[in-house]
Amino acid sequence: MEIFKYMNQYDYEQLVFCQDEQSGLKAIIAIHDTTLGPALGGTRMWTYASEEAAIEDALRLAKGMTYKNAAAGLNLGGGKTVIIGDPKKDKNEAMFRAFGRFIQGLNGRYITAEDVGTTVQDMDLIHEETDFVTGISPAFGSSGNPSPVTAYGVYRGMKAAAKEGFGSDSLEGKTVAVQGVGNVAFTLCRHLHEEGAKLIVTDINEEAVQRAVEEFGAEAVGTEEIYGVDCDIYAPCALGATINDDTIPQLKAKVIAGAANNQLKDTLHGDILHEKGIVYTPDYVINAGGVINVADELHGYNKDRAMKRVETIYDNVSRVFEISRRDNIPTYKAADRMAEERIDRLRNSRSQFLQNGHHILSRK
């Protein structure tokens, strides 16, 4: 992998390799863009097939965080860390404290949080060495479990998508097919049930399905049946890539809005949805509640303030649809354009400010 060529192609700022022999730490911090502010993105611990695979994952995820944070209206850039190792076997206190010292050395350019393979307890260990970490224990002033906040953001975004697809943002009487009933999706189901929506659910975890049936009167279907059910809205809330060549022909939903990451198997599937007139809500816009919530910790966590910010996901999703209509492009492209326009505006404003400052100084 030609690292500098890749970084130049996608305009990355920094790639940091962190190694601590005693604890076994091997970490890669990727900082994509800090135009809007410090880079915020979680720390993922994974058993990568190779060091190159780890680097590629860190770079890909960091760029994704730039777009997610920008689209959410946060004054934060995008970054990500991957730690090479088995999260079930290789963790130790010294590893995360050593990693915390590396973050501290970046002097605020990068702020981390938990991600796949890491926990609140791991973030607490990082916090022993640096303040540039979110998602720590509530005892340290954190917001705690982000799932309910993420779910509320998805609910708000789904209402905006319903307005685009049906002309009204009311979900009363709408049938929503929810794929996956984990922590986020279960809370989402509660919001939908309270508004009077009908629920069809599936999950590989039978207990989770039964809970939704008992509490919300949901109809349960098999994991492969969920795509073809009669519904108004399909809500992917489990694995990624569920919108693909096999599932799109089965979909009867007019709207797609859910919590899962990377819902499109490939961008061409976003093009197909656009051609079919299906309203697709880009995942990183609708599921931004979690990152909005942890970002509030940077100012001393205030739940009311954080929840008000999460409500703006409705407006952000609506803006994506506006850009899609304005430019006649699929919504996944419109979401990228919305993020890029915001970054470019600030970059150009800053550049103009510096140029004006230079002219004033040269006149003196």
Side-chain angles (χ1 to χ4, degrees):
M1 180 183 185
E2 296 180 67
I3 292 175
F4 276 110
K5 184 177 180 181
Y6 187 96
M7 290 178 71
N8 184 62
Q9 182 179 356
Y10 297 106
D11 203 18
Y12 286 84
E13 293 180 10
Q14 196 170 3
L15 195 61
V16 183
F17 294 87
C18 312
Q19 190 272 148
D20 181 70
E21 184 179 2
Q22 191 170 1
S23 67
L25 174 72
K26 288 185 175 62
I28 301 155
I29 303 171
I31 297 175
H32 177 246
D33 189 287
T34 58
T35 302
L36 297 176
L40 173 68
T43 292
R44 177 169 295 194
M45 189 170 184
W46 196 255
T47 49
Y48 289 96
S50 65
E51 291 179 1
E52 184 174 275
I55 294 168
E56 287 181 1
D57 203 31
L59 289 166
R60 178 181 62 83
L61 293 166
K63 186 182 178 194
M65 288 307 300
T66 294
Y67 281 75
K68 187 167 194 167
N69 293 336
L74 298 173
N75 294 317
L76 293 163
K80 205 78 171 187
T81 294
V82 300
I83 296 177
I84 300 172
D86 187 336
K88 294 179 181 176
K89 299 177 183 176
D90 299 330
K91 287 183 181 181
N92 58 74
E93 178 184 359
M95 171 183 287
F96 287 100
R97 292 192 65 159
F99 179 54
R101 292 192 291 275
F102 281 112
I103 293 175
Q104 183 65 22
L106 290 170
N107 201 32
R109 274 180 58 74
Y110 170 67
I111 302 161
T112 200
E114 65 179 287
D115 201 283
V116 175
T118 60
T119 65
V120 171
Q121 289 72 34
D122 299 330
M123 297 305 109
D124 287 348
L125 292 173
I126 293 170
H127 184 54
E128 294 288 333
E129 304 289 343
T130 183
D131 288 331
F132 301 118
V133 55
T134 61
I136 51 180
S137 294
F140 296 116
S142 167
S143 55
N145 179 9
S147 296
V149 186
T150 302
Y152 182 66
V154 174
Y155 168 65
R156 293 289 299 163
M158 187 182 288
K159 287 178 73 65
K163 186 171 185 180
E164 181 70 13
F166 308 113
S168 166
D169 68 5
S170 173
L171 297 173
E172 184 177 0
K174 292 286 186 287
T175 299
V176 184
V178 183
Q179 182 195 43
V181 203
N183 291 334
V184 171
F186 188 82
T187 306
L188 171 64
C189 286
R190 185 181 302 284
H191 289 302
L192 296 172
H193 175 67
E194 288 173 354
E195 190 170 335
K198 299 174 184 176
L199 297 169
I200 302 173
V201 300
T202 194
D203 198 297
I204 56 172
N205 182 343
E206 284 297 327
E207 288 182 16
V209 171
Q210 194 56 37
R211 194 173 159 216
V213 170
E214 291 172 1
E215 292 204 27
F216 311 128
E219 176 189 344
V221 298
T223 54
E224 293 303 312
E225 295 175 59
I226 195 72
Y227 307 110
V229 298
D230 281 316
C231 65
D232 300 296
I233 300 169
Y234 166 56
C237 296
L239 299 173
T242 65
I243 301 169
N244 53 53
D245 289 338
D246 295 328
T247 61
I248 289 175
Q250 300 179 54
L251 293 175
K252 296 182 174 70
K254 169 75 174 174
V255 170
I256 298 174
N261 287 311
N262 306 313
Q263 294 171 20
L264 302 175
K265 185 171 183 181
D266 195 279
T267 55
L268 69 88
H269 297 113
D271 297 329
I272 294 170
L273 293 178
H274 182 65
E275 290 165 9
K276 283 177 165 284
I278 296 173
V279 177
Y280 168 64
T281 316
D283 42 48
Y284 71 79
V285 181
I286 194 173
N287 69 14
V291 73
I292 292 171
N293 193 55
V294 296
D296 194 81
E297 295 177 20
L298 302 174
H299 310 288
Y301 185 67
N302 180 295
K303 185 176 181 180
D304 290 340
R305 180 178 63 201
M307 295 305 286
K308 282 181 181 176
R309 193 69 183 263
V310 170
E311 286 185 3
T312 65
I313 287 175
Y314 184 106
D315 300 320
N316 296 339
V317 168
S318 299
R319 176 68 180 145
V320 168
F321 297 140
E322 286 173 16
I323 294 171
S324 174
R325 290 193 302 271
R326 179 192 77 189
D327 299 347
N328 192 28
I329 54 175
T331 53
Y332 78 90
K333 287 183 180 177
D336 286 355
R337 193 161 293 180
M338 180 174 75
E340 289 162 357
E341 285 176 356
R342 182 167 180 245
I343 293 167
D344 289 343
R345 277 196 303 272
L346 188 58
R347 185 179 286 136
N348 294 337
S349 172
R350 190 171 289 160
S351 174
Q352 190 66 40
F353 179 79
L354 291 172
Q355 286 179 13
N356 290 343
H358 174 74
H359 292 323
I360 290 168
L361 287 172
S362 64
R363 286 202 296 271
K364 289 181 178 179

